[in-house]
């Protein structure tokens, strides 16, 4: 999408956490795992994989942690006021964050490059033809 202008701003629901995305994500994933369904309160969660240095955050963030089924560390940063999830990260991979980018002002970048954990997908949701899909987490 050549008409998208960076930086793109984003914020939590209450506005206490704000950020600027300085460059395009390397990949956008739609995750259908049960944990992401809980997180998004929807059929899947959208995540934009971005370089850590391509995002500037303002405001207080708190952290929550869990171990994923894959064994990866899944840490989350969110707003302590409204609870809106801002991003996930694995401390063992400090150069990449998983931005929960649905709170960007321009969401045109959120076209999934792949759908993951389709083994837990809601039966009623149809993945668009031609988009790669993986039963679990791709290697």
């Amino acid at each position: 999408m050549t008409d998208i202008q960076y930086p793109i701003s984003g914020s939590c629901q209450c506005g206490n956490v704000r950020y600027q995305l300085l460059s395009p994500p390397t990949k956008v994933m739609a995750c259908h795992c049960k944990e992401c369904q809980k997180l998004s309160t929807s059929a899947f969660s959208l995540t934009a994989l971005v370089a850590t240095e391509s995002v500037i955050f303002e405001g207080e963030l708190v952290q929550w942690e869990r171990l994923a089924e894959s064994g990866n560390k899944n840490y989350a940063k969110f707003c302590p006021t409204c609870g809106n999830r801002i991003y996930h990260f694995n401390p063992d991979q400090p150069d990449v964050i998983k931005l929960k980018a649905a709170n960007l002002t321009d969401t045109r970048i959120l076209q999934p490059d792949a759908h993951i954990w389709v083994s837990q997908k809601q039966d009623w949701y149809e993945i668009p033809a031609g988009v790669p899909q993986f039963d679990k987490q791709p290697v």
Side-chain angles (χ1 to χ4, degrees):
M1 302 194 114
T2 57
D3 62 335
I4 295 178
Q5 299 295 312
Y6 290 87
I8 302 173
S9 62
S11 71
C12 64
Q13 286 182 292
C14 71
N16 286 334
V17 175
R18 293 162 308 288
Y19 66 90
Q20 294 285 317
L21 178 61
L22 305 177
S23 58
T26 57
K27 189 175 283 190
V28 176
M29 309 289 278
C31 183
H32 296 265
C33 79
K34 295 298 181 188
E35 291 301 319
C36 281
Q37 290 178 36
K38 288 179 188 179
L39 164 67
S40 67
T41 68
S42 188
F44 56 86
S45 177
L46 290 172
T47 299
L49 301 178
V50 299
T52 302
E53 71 270 2
S54 72
V55 187
I56 300 170
F57 295 101
E58 297 177 27
E60 179 187 4
L61 289 164
V62 292
Q63 185 168 302
W64 178 76
E65 304 168 5
R66 77 175 176 89
L67 196 60
E69 183 179 310
S70 64
N72 288 332
K73 297 172 185 167
N74 191 8
Y75 292 16
K77 294 283 191 175
F78 62 95
C79 174
T81 303
C82 68
N84 205 198
R85 195 81 57 103
I86 304 299
Y87 69 92
H88 290 185
F89 69 101
N90 180 338
D92 297 332
Q93 299 171 329
D95 296 336
V96 176
I97 63 171
K98 303 165 190 167
L99 191 63
K100 306 313 284 179
N103 50 27
L104 286 168
T105 56
D106 185 345
T107 55
R108 291 178 293 161
I109 66 167
L110 299 181
Q111 297 180 26
D113 297 304
H115 288 255
I116 62 174
W117 284 95
V118 296
S119 59
Q120 296 181 5
K121 178 181 84 58
Q122 293 291 321
D123 290 340
W124 54 264
Y125 181 75
E126 295 291 328
I127 295 173
V131 180
Q133 24 184 317
F134 302 87
D135 281 343
K136 292 192 173 191
Q137 188 74 28
V139 181

